Structure formats: structure tokens, C-alpha cells
Amino acid sequence: MKRSRRTFLIGGGAASASVLAGCLGEVGRSGESNPSDNRRAYASFFTLSEFTRAVVGDTFEVDNAVPSGQHGHEWQPSIDVLPTVVESDVFVYLGVEGFQTWVDDAVERVDVDHPENVALVDAAAGIDLLEYDDHSHGHTHDHGDDDHGHTHSHDDDHERAGEEADGRSIHAIDLIDSESGERVADAHADHWHGGPLEIAVGDSRTLESIVEDEDGETIDPSAESYSIDARITDGDAVAAIDGGGDHVHVRGEREGTASLVVQLFADGEVVWESPELGVRVGDGERGNDDGADDSDHSQPHGGERDHDHSHGDESGHSHSHGESGHDHSHGEYDAKFFSDPVLAQQGVRTIRDRLIEIDPDRESVYAGNAAGYIEELEALAERYDDALSDREHDHVLLAGHDSFQYLGERYGFEIHTPVGLSPDDEPSGSEIAAAVEFAEERGLEYVLWDYFDGPDLAETIAAEADTVVGTEMVSPAESVVEAWDEEGYGDYVGQMAEINLPAFRKALGAR
């Protein structure tokens, strides 16, 4: 797998660090053993709160921004979190654009308005991240032959996101609900963030689009020689398309799932098409958009989960067509390096070094705590190496979005998924059939499923594939649920050792 190098700078400048070092150093100097002394660190999701807590010990209170049971990547706050960030002494996050869009906004606003109040700690600083395009060869999407092994199911060969349309390279597209102004989904390269598009039977949703080229210029179908339309590629009895021009109407016909492709026209000719977006038609109201967690987290193997992945803007940005300054960049790099216990050590070292920089009086505390935790991570990495070194094959079928490419690269196996990179990507019937064929051709006995995606797709594939004897749950280690804590493996190391390692052993035939 090709690596694409990108080195991230640690957030927060030297001047900011020196000011904060003075503030932190003045608090609680009489006794380093006193718990926290009102110092607070705010981590943008569970894994970073784990790493930060391991380094700071009892010198800080550490808060996790994402509620228990919510997916760290796709969770969006229902209110502006900047006041909470600013009230903290340290904000720990991943400086990977698009991984957590609310973090992108918060860091920018801290840099501009509050640089003296908060020390920014980018735990991904210096880590050699993979580009999303590097993952595509491992997916079982049926999209026609291209450079990454996809097979197009379309009869025509129109351009896709990241390619040219009428002489302009398309960078991203946002779909906006005309009624609510909510961003329903956004596509970058060959995958969507957000979605699926939810519609009640007999109801319809009007979608406007904002298309951006590689120079950041907006292509406005309401004001230029362009127009948009859409087509249903799988499940045309479930949903239908009306309209065109500067918007499209998607109508729910009957309960079920379908796939939708947005088309960009120039002078009446199709010049570009989006990736496939899942459409879910149900008998009732659409899912809530207020960020509430409706899932029952007491059942770690529970069935359906109604994730709220609303991308509505909480920071005052407008989604109107005329705003060319809107940020449509949804990230090119896979942030989930922490699925590799070796790279996780590097993230911990980065947090340690940054904390020593801003609070040098406690260097020995941070260094000692980090050393102990890194030993745990080293032991975890050795367990994976020992357990997976003698295996039957090098392929894993994951019926969920892909959170484990770094783990696969570390230990020499490939992840194949019919879903893609986003928790909300919906596979088409042809993609599910391709996954079944993949399992049978390679004699795979187990299908993995992500707890936060649910088991339904894995069970469907297992029922269809003659070679599959069962399914196994994995965790992306981005969050935690109460049941795991009660069982004693809710922490990052516990999830990796007690949930993921046994599952990957079975999937790879290393038992």
C-alpha cells in the first residue's frame, strides 16, 4: 500500500506555549500530587482522552467531548462547543481536516480569538498518514475498472469527485436540504460523509447542491451554465427523482433502500457524477437532527442504531449558493492511525512532548506516566504480532466502514468492505453481492462488523456466503459503551486486546 507523506505541525505557537506554561506552572506548585488543581484538558473524542489521561495522571481533569456510545468520527455537537474549549487549559485533537468538522472550526477560532487561553495539542503531528485513495483498492465496491480496482456499475463513464468536469476539476459537493438548510451529506473524492438520505414513504426532500472546484471556486447551478439532476442507480422502486436545474426532489415510494447519484450538466450534457449516496425510505418521520443519542448502549451487540450525523452548521457559516468562501474540504487523509498500536505510541509521545513544552515544571510526571503507558502499548503490539503471525490468509471482510487500514498495514493484511469510509455509506445490492462473492472465492469463514454500524449487513452477507460460519464484532476504539466498562475492557487497550484481537484472529484463520 502506497503511503502519502504529510507532516502536521503541533498546534499552538511558541508564544502561546510560554504564556500557558506560566499560567499552568503557577497552579498547584506546592504539591504535584494534588489531583488536577483545577487544570482541565478537553479531548475531542474518546481515544485522545485515553491517551491524554494516561500522560497527565492526576495533574489534569480530562474531559471527552463525545458522549459515551457515540461514534467519535461522525458525532456533531448540537451547540457551539467553543466556550467549553476555551474554558480548558489544553485542547487535544487530531489536526486532520474533515475527521471531526466541528474540531476544524474550533481550532481555527481558538487560533484567531483565544490563542493565549488554550494550548492546542495535535496528537497526529508528525505521523505519516495514509491518503483515503490508498484505501480504495481494498473495497469490494462494484464501480467498474479504474486505477484502484473499482468497477463502475454505470453504463456511461462520467467524471467522479476529484476529476474534471467541463475543464474544471471537481473537488467536493454538498447536498443541502432546501427546507431546513441542513447539510444532508457531502462528497470528497470517491466517498460521502453524512447520509444516508432519509425520507418517509410518500414524502419528498428538495436538495440543493454546492459544487466546488480544486481552486475553491463554487460552481453555482442557479447562476451559471451548469445544472444538476440525479438518478437512482439501485432501488428505483423505492425512490424516485423529480425536477432538475438548481435542485432535485427525491421522493419516497416505498420502504427500503436505494442509491442516488448526483449529476452535473454543462449546456445540457452530463460532465460529472457524484459517488453513490445511500437513500433510506421508511414509514414515518425522518431521524432527529438534534444530536441526541437514541441508541440503547446497554446492549453491545444490539441491533439498529439511529446515529445522528447531522452536519448542520453550528458555527454560523451559511450554506447559501452565493457563499464561495464556504469550506467544502472534507479531508484527504485517514486520521485513524490509532488502530495500529505502534502508531498509537507515537500519538502518546506527541501529547507528552507538547505538555512538557507548555508545562515544563512537570516534565518528570508527564514523561514517567507516558513511559508506563507506552510499555502497555508495546505489549499490545507484541500480542497482535504473536497472535496474527501464523494465519491461513491475508484478507478480512468487514461489513462496516473501514477503521482498520493502519492495523492491516502494520500486520500485513488487507481490509475489504462493501461500505467504504463513512459510517453512513449504504452499500448497493451489487456491492453486497460482490462481498458475498469475495468471501466465497477466498473461503472466508467470518465476517466482521463494527459495533457502531450494527450487525445487519454482516448477517446478510453471512447468510448468503456458503463459506461463512459466523460474524464477529469489532470496535474502532473511538468510543466506549457502558457494557464494555462493566466487563472491564472499556479502555482503549482493553478494546484492542479483548474485542478486536480475538475477532481478527478468527477472521484471518489465526486461531
Side-chain angles (χ1 to χ4, degrees), residues 384-430:
Y384 269 83
D385 192 43
D386 292 342
L388 303 182
S389 59
D390 183 14
R391 57 183 184 246
E392 295 176 357
H393 54 81
D394 297 322
H395 299 281
V396 171
L397 180 56
L398 173 63
H401 83 290
D402 189 355
S403 295
F404 298 98
Q405 283 289 346
Y406 289 95
L407 184 70
E409 180 165 279
R410 174 65 59 187
Y411 297 103
F413 59 86
E414 292 189 359
I415 308 287
H416 299 261
T417 169
V419 176
L421 299 166
S422 169
D424 290 315
D425 286 343
E426 289 286 332
S428 66
S430 61

Side-chain angles (χ1 to χ4, degrees), residues 174-185:
D174 281 5
L175 292 183
I176 310 299
D177 185 294
S178 296
E179 180 179 349
S180 66
E182 168 198 350
R183 187 186 339 173
V184 175

Side-chain angles (χ1 to χ4, degrees), residues 108-268:
E108 180 179 359
R109 293 164 71 188
V110 167
D111 271 339
V112 173
D113 299 325
H114 307 279
E116 72 285 355
N117 298 108
V118 187
L120 297 175
V121 181
D122 175 6
I127 291 179
D128 192 15
L129 297 177
L130 295 171
E131 284 188 282
Y132 274 128
D133 284 349
D134 289 343
H135 299 258
S136 49
H137 74 281
H139 296 160
T140 57
H141 291 288
D142 183 18
H143 290 308
D145 292 335
D146 63 17
D147 291 340
H148 304 292
H150 293 281
T151 55
H152 287 285
S153 58
H154 318 314
D155 293 329
D156 46 1
D157 186 22
H158 302 305
E159 304 293 347
R160 305 297 296 270
E163 300 179 5
E164 286 199 354
D166 196 33
R168 299 172 72 173
S169 180
I170 302 302
H171 178 69
I173 179 173
D174 281 5
L175 292 183
I176 310 299
D177 185 294
S178 296
E179 180 179 349
S180 66
E182 168 198 350
R183 187 186 339 173
V184 175
D186 46 74
H188 179 275
D190 62 353
H191 62 281
W192 286 93
H193 293 274
L197 176 64
E198 295 190 1
I199 310 172
V201 174
D203 195 4
S204 65
R205 296 185 73 172
T206 300
L207 303 178
E208 301 174 357
S209 70
I210 306 174
V211 183
E212 184 183 84
D213 66 19
E214 64 179 352
D215 298 321
E217 296 296 325
T218 299
I219 297 174
D220 187 353
S222 67
E224 302 184 40
S225 60
Y226 293 92
S227 62
I228 65 166
D229 206 335
R231 61 188 179 90
I232 299 296
T233 61
D234 187 62
D236 54 3
V238 173
I241 302 296
D242 298 319
D246 63 350
H247 61 274
V248 294
H249 304 285
V250 185
R251 187 176 67 254
E253 299 288 296
R254 64 176 178 82
E255 286 189 67
T257 60
S259 297
L260 174 149
V261 169
V262 180
Q263 300 170 303
L264 181 66
F265 286 74
D267 298 324

